[in-house]
């Protein structure tokens, strides 16, 4: 996640002269910011990104969700993060817990059927 500023220089640049590099005034006018949230798939080098006017935990959860939804065949995900507060948010913990609960709900009925086979076989004989 990084911030992008839309800046405009207040004064024009001073052009290059022989023996002199381009000179630029340090003052600028700020026209707002955007947050760029991106994830890199190291297996194929593809970048998936969101550009938002905010940098909230909801924005980060939306990025994680879009990365997960883009790889429906994947069984596990590894995210390398820094200690930014949105990377450790309650929303993210809830998202991960909900996703894990959905996975358990999908395999739990099958697990119950498989574990009951010996019992059913014993009753049938």
């Amino acid at each position: 996640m990084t911030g992008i500023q839309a800046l405009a220089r207040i004064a024009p640049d001073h052009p290059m002269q022989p023996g002199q590099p381009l000179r630029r005034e340090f003052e600028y006018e700020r026209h707002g910011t955007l947050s760029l949230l991106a994830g890199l798939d190291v297996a194929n080098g593809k970048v998936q990104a969101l550009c938002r006017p905010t940098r909230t935990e909801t924005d980060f959860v939306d990025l994680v969700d879009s990365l997960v939804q883009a790889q429906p065949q994947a069984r596990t995900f590894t995210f390398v993060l820094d200690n930014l507060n949105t990377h450790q948010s309650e929303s993210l913990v809830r998202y991960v817990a909900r996703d894990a609960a959905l996975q358990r709900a999908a395999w739990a009925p099958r697990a119950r059927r498989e574990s009951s086979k010996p019992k059913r076989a014993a009753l049938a004989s």
Side-chain angles (χ1 to χ4, degrees), residues 38-43 60 64 67-68 71 74-81:
L40 170 66
D41 185 339
V42 295
F60 184 67
V64 171
L67 295 169
V68 169
Q71 300 286 334
R75 298 180 69 191
T76 61
F77 292 88
T78 301
F79 293 93
V80 179
L81 307 169

Side-chain angles (χ1 to χ4, degrees), residues 3 5-6 8 16 19 27 37 56 69 77 91 98 100 112 117 121:
Q5 296 185 56
M16 292 189 301
E27 292 184 287
L37 298 88
T56 65
Q69 298 303 321
F77 292 88
S91 298
R98 184 183 72 224
R112 281 195 293 273
K117 277 184 181 179

Side-chain angles (χ1 to χ4, degrees), residues 21-58:
L22 173 79
R23 290 176 293 154
R24 180 172 285 159
E25 295 292 331
F26 67 91
E27 292 184 287
Y28 58 85
E29 182 180 352
R30 197 167 151 184
H31 295 285
T33 61
L34 287 174
S35 291
L36 173 65
L37 298 88
L40 170 66
D41 185 339
V42 295
N44 60 24
K46 291 185 179 178
V47 174
Q48 190 166 339
L50 299 174
C51 206
R52 299 277 175 90
T54 58
R55 189 192 77 184
T56 65
E57 60 186 68
T58 303

